[in-house]
């Protein structure tokens, strides 16, 4: 019994360390990028104490890349190549497989696919705020909201900070 | 277990003396009191354990800005392991407080889930991600088999069914028809889990786990069947058929087929091997196979009439009868309770369906109220009678 429970305890440690480790790896070793956010319905923007985020890179027009949206299906993984346009990262390509090392890309899941467009999810669509602080962010509507994210060599992304009007959001 | 009538019979037959009979009767009474007291301790300990867990979570939440990420994770992980260790000591090492120990171990599994969701919040992972629930389930499932704990088995069953819903909603773009197929998805999931639970009877150690899984999945099956008795899910209205037009998504169709095939294979295994050594295994297996076949028929051959509404109502009535019959045969009051609950629900709902438009409002409510009151009295009397009969 003791040994069995010890094994389960080790499993729990491995699971928790694994989840933390994966995200810490992305944050510490990834390339920092600035992503513009697009406005979402203000009534839904703040669900309780988290912010719903949407990005221009969430909607990928496939025609410039010689692809058809129907070649992808919902739930499928794809890699969106990123380049710079001013301070922001923008879509420069789309691939089904991970590109060569050194090429900046973000790994996403196809949410919906139309003939010319894919709606992608990257796992960075929500930002949690401390309890009771959502109201302070609501008052910042009308200003630009950007996200500083980290993308590791496998294409996994993690949010570092939220910026409103170019200022990093800090909660006290 | 020895009961009062047995003792009186042995005394009358001269097998035991008056003194021995008095001692045995006193022991039986003491055993009944201890069972009631045990149940109370488990309930109180479990509520206390849950409140402790909620307190730990609220502590971290209220000091969110002050604590560093690492501190938050350590507090929650530390609480999780600390509580689980104390539970293990009480229940298995010192064995002085087994019920409290079991409750603390259950709390440990809840805190493990809370820690996972806390980590998700720290790193802004979406809270409705099915992967978080799957990770929680992966941590809880081994404990089910190590401890054979009923609450932890119940939690794992709940997590599994939650995961199915989250997986469907996250990874599939649902068509309008897909929404209508959700009861079918859960019906097949419930049947699959019921059969998987049945296979647990292979090991004598896992009997309580098998029963917990089977009861949990039966509840899911009954809820799904109940939903399918409504025209919204299985029929049509004068001007609109819910499933008309939009086809099912490939993902939903694939999922339904995979679940059906898996449930079929497990049902066949249970029919062939009968690991539960049950007298009613043929009836259970037959009903299971029938429901799987009906689900596939309904999913792949929809109708624009209300034929399936009638079929599902009859099937639900039949399943209620099966519950009550098997409950009687096994003297299992829980099965009888499930059957009677759904009988009452079906009567009330169908009464509303049929008579809402036919009777005047006042007559509808008066007759409905009378049926509920009289029906409730009759059912409660019958239930008490059965409970007394089963415990004798």
């Amino acid at each position: 019994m003791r040994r069995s429970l010890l094994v389960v305890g080790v499993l729990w440690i491995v699971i928790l360390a694994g989840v933390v480790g994966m995200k810490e790896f992305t944050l510490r070793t990834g390339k920092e990028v600035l992503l513009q956010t697009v406005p979402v319905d203000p009534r839904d923007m703040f669900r309780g104490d988290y912010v719903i985020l949407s990005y221009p890179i969430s909607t990928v027009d496939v025609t410039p890349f010689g692809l058809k949206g129907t070649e992808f299906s919902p739930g499928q993984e794809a890699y969106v190549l990123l380049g710079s346009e001013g301070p922001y990262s923008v879509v420069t390509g789309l691939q089904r497989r991970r590109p060569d090392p050194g090429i900046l890309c973000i790994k996403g899941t196809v949410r919906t696919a139309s003939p010319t467009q894919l709606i992608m999810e990257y796992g960075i669509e929500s930002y949690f705020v401390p309890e009771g602080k959502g109201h302070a962010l609501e008052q910042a509507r009308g200003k630009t909201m950007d996200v500083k994210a980290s993308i590791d060599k496998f294409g996994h992304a993690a949010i570092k900070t939220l910026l409103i009007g170019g200022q990093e959001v800090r909660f006290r | 277990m020895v009961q009062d009538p047995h003792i009186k019979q042995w005394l009358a037959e001269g097998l035991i003396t008056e003194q021995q009979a008095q001692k045995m009767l006193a022991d039986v009474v003491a055993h009944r009191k201890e069972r009631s007291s045990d149940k109370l301790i488990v309930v109180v300990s479990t509520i206390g354990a849950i409140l402790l867990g909620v307190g730990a979570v609220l502590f971290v939440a209220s000091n969110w800005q002050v604590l560093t990420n690492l501190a938050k994770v350590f507090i929650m992980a530390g609480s999780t392991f600390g509580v689980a260790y104390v539970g293990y000591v009480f229940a298995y090492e010192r064995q002085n407080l087994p019920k409290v120990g079991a409750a603390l171990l259950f709390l440990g599994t809840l805190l493990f889930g809370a820690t996972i969701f806390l980590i998700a919040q720290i790193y802004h992972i979406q809270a409705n991600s099915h992967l978080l629930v799957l990770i929680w389930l992966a941590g809880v499932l081994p404990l089910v088999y190590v401890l054979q704990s009923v609450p932890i088995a119940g939690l794992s069953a709940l997590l599994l069914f939650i995961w199915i819903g989250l997986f469907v909603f996250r990874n599939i773009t649902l068509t309008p028809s897909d929404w209508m197929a959700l009861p079918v998805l859960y019906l097949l999931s419930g049947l699959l889990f019921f059969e998987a639970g049945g296979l647990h009877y292979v090991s004598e150690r896992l009997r309580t786990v098998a029963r917990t899984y089977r009861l949990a999945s039966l509840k899911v099956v009954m809820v799904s069947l109940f939903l399918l008795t409504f025209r919204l899910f299985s029929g049509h209205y004068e001007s609109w058929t819910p499933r008309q037009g939009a086809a099912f998504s490939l993902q939903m169709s694939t999922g339904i087929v995979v679940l059906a095939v898996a449930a079929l294979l497990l049902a066949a295994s249970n029919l062939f091997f009968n690991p539960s050594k049950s007298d009613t295994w043929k009836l259970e297996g037959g009903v299971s196979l029938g429901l799987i076949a009906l689900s596939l028929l309904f999913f792949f051959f929809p109708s624009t009439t209300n034929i399936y509404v009638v079929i599902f109502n009859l099937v639900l009535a039949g399943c209620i009868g099966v519950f009550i019959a098997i409950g009687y045969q096994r003297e299992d009051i829980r099965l009888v309770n499930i059957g009677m609950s759904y009988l009452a629900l079906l009567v009330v709902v169908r009464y509303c369906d049929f008579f809402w438009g036919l009777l005047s409002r006042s007559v509808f409510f008066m007759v409905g109220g009378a049926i509920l009151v009289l029906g409730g009295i009759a059912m409660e009397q019958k239930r008490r009678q059965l409970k007394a009969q089963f415990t004798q």
Side-chain angles (χ1 to χ4, degrees):
Chain A
M1 172 65 69
R2 192 188 175 100
R3 196 176 297 169
S4 304
L5 284 175
L6 211 60
V7 169
V8 174
V10 168
L11 174 69
W12 282 14
I13 291 171
V14 166
I15 288 173
L16 296 177
V19 176
V20 172
M22 276 173 57
K23 283 297 174 185
E24 282 294 328
F25 174 80
T26 301
L27 286 169
R28 288 172 194 272
T29 67
K31 186 173 176 1
E32 198 174 275
V33 297
L34 190 66
L35 299 170
Q36 210 174 6
T37 64
V38 294
V40 292
D41 183 352
R43 292 166 297 172
D44 283 342
M45 195 177 183
F46 301 99
R47 272 195 202 157
D49 288 84
Y50 75 92
V51 182
I52 301 171
L53 299 166
S54 186
Y55 309 93
I57 65 167
S58 301
T59 305
V60 178
D61 188 354
V62 298
T63 42
F65 313 125
L67 296 168
K68 290 180 189 165
T70 46
E71 292 170 27
F72 296 83
S73 51
Q76 185 180 348
E77 285 177 350
Y79 292 83
V80 173
L81 280 59
L82 297 176
S84 296
E85 194 173 275
Y88 298 111
S89 292
V90 296
V91 176
T92 56
L94 178 70
Q95 286 183 208
R96 288 186 191 80
R97 290 203 177 89
R98 199 167 83 219
D100 295 331
I103 298 175
L104 180 63
C105 67
I106 183 169
K107 184 178 174 183
T109 306
V110 177
R111 183 87 180 123
T112 57
S114 67
T116 57
Q117 248 180 23
L118 299 178
I119 306 294
M120 303 291 294
E121 267 186 358
Y122 303 109
I124 51 172
E125 282 73 23
S126 53
Y127 184 88
F128 290 92
V129 301
E131 198 180 341
K133 301 294 181 186
H135 180 69
L137 285 183
E138 279 190 74
Q139 291 181 328
R141 274 186 210 150
K143 295 183 184 173
T144 56
M145 189 185 285
D146 301 325
V147 161
K148 202 181 278 184
S150 184
I151 303 175
D152 64 28
K153 60 182 179 180
F154 300 107
H156 299 129
I159 295 177
K160 278 187 148 177
T161 53
L162 198 65
L163 296 109
I164 293 181
Q167 299 294 320
E168 203 171 292
V169 174
R170 289 184 194 279
F171 299 99
R172 297 194 185 280
Chain B
M1 185 192 149
V2 174
Q3 301 286 351
D4 303 13
H6 297 136
I7 297 169
K8 286 170 184 162
Q9 187 186 338
W10 295 333
L11 181 63
E13 288 173 3
L15 294 171
I16 54 175
T17 65
E18 179 70 36
Q19 198 181 6
Q20 284 170 331
Q22 292 296 332
K23 177 72 174 71
M24 287 165 86
L25 281 167
D27 285 346
V28 166
V29 168
H31 176 76
R32 279 198 198 122
K33 277 189 184 160
E34 195 180 324
R35 265 177 65 182
S36 300
S37 162
D38 276 352
K39 282 182 189 168
L40 180 65
I41 291 168
V42 168
V43 167
V44 168
S45 302
T46 304
I47 290 173
I50 290 170
L51 289 177
L52 272 171
V54 169
V57 170
L58 288 175
F59 173 79
V60 171
S62 60
N63 292 288
W64 191 263
Q65 290 97 289
V66 175
L67 299 168
T68 62
N69 287 348
L70 212 59
K72 290 169 202 163
V73 174
F74 269 118
I75 287 173
M76 287 303 297
S79 306
T80 302
F81 288 103
V83 160
Y85 179 70
V86 171
Y88 160 73
V89 167
F90 281 163
Y92 295 100
E93 280 216 343
R94 292 193 188 164
Q95 298 184 16
N96 53 344
L97 297 166
K99 305 288 181 196
V100 175
L104 287 175
L105 282 163
F106 176 62
L107 172 63
T109 58
L110 295 180
L111 285 176
F112 178 70
T115 307
I116 290 169
F117 280 91
L118 171 79
I119 293 171
Q121 280 212 3
I122 291 171
Y123 295 102
H124 309 290
I125 300 169
Q126 275 159 300
N128 57 350
S129 164
H130 70 95
L131 284 174
L132 297 179
V133 176
L134 197 61
I135 290 169
W136 188 0
L137 179 60
V140 166
L141 212 50
L143 264 188
V144 173
Y145 297 101
V146 169
L147 300 176
Q148 301 100 48
S149 156
V150 169
I152 298 176
L155 174 65
S156 68
L158 178 67
L159 290 176
L160 177 71
F161 287 115
I162 291 173
W163 174 76
I164 288 170
L166 286 176
F167 179 78
V168 168
F169 280 103
R170 288 300 297 165
N171 276 15
I172 292 177
T173 304
L174 295 177
T175 66
S177 289
D178 283 342
W179 289 95
M180 302 304 154
L182 281 177
V184 177
L185 185 80
Y186 270 99
L187 176 59
L188 287 169
S189 307
L191 289 168
L192 172 62
F193 202 50
F194 176 78
E195 298 300 339
L199 287 178
H200 284 71
Y201 280 111
V202 164
S203 167
E204 199 57 39
R205 281 177 64 242
L206 298 177
R207 287 195 82 83
T208 47
V209 172
R211 182 172 159 80
T212 306
Y213 281 162
R214 290 195 120 189
L215 281 172
S217 49
L218 282 175
K219 287 171 187 168
V220 171
V221 165
M222 291 302 277
V223 168
S224 305
L225 265 180
F226 177 69
L227 289 175
L228 287 165
T229 62
F230 289 90
R231 282 192 289 174
L232 180 64
F233 293 103
S234 60
H236 91 295
Y237 298 88
E238 272 105 29
S239 55
W240 173 60
T241 298
R243 286 172 58 180
Q244 196 173 22
F248 292 114
S249 64
L250 178 63
Q251 295 92 327
M252 179 63 89
S253 304
T254 308
I256 293 280
V257 169
V258 166
L259 284 172
V261 168
L264 213 67
L265 288 172
L266 292 184
S269 302
N270 276 314
L271 261 177
F272 193 74
F273 295 109
N274 188 19
S276 61
K277 304 286 182 280
S278 158
D279 296 333
T280 54
W281 96 98
K282 282 184 183 171
L283 178 60
E284 292 162 16
V287 170
S288 214
L289 290 172
L291 286 174
I292 295 168
L294 178 60
S295 304
L296 289 173
L297 190 71
F298 170 66
F299 186 80
F300 289 107
F301 300 100
S303 169
T304 52
T305 66
N306 285 320
I307 184 69
Y308 281 113
V309 177
V310 174
I311 291 173
F312 278 116
N313 271 280
L314 290 172
V315 165
L316 181 61
C319 286
I320 288 169
V322 167
F323 265 99
I324 294 174
I326 294 180
Y328 257 106
Q329 189 162 350
R330 292 192 187 167
E331 296 190 348
D332 188 339
I333 194 67
R334 287 180 80 169
L335 289 178
V336 174
N337 283 343
I338 293 173
M340 282 191 162
S341 304
Y342 276 93
L343 178 63
L345 193 60
L346 190 64
V347 166
V348 166
V349 166
R350 293 290 89 86
Y351 171 80
C352 292
D353 269 349
F354 286 130
F355 293 109
W356 180 255
L358 293 176
L359 299 174
S360 69
R361 294 290 175 265
S362 56
V363 174
F364 174 85
F365 281 114
M366 281 193 291
V367 171
I371 290 173
L372 280 175
V373 170
L374 294 172
I377 292 170
M379 283 178 64
E380 183 57 26
Q381 281 179 341
K382 190 66 185 171
R383 203 187 64 83
R384 281 187 192 168
Q385 185 190 343
L386 284 171
K387 197 174 175 183
Q389 186 183 325
F390 292 163
T391 51
Q392 277 178 354

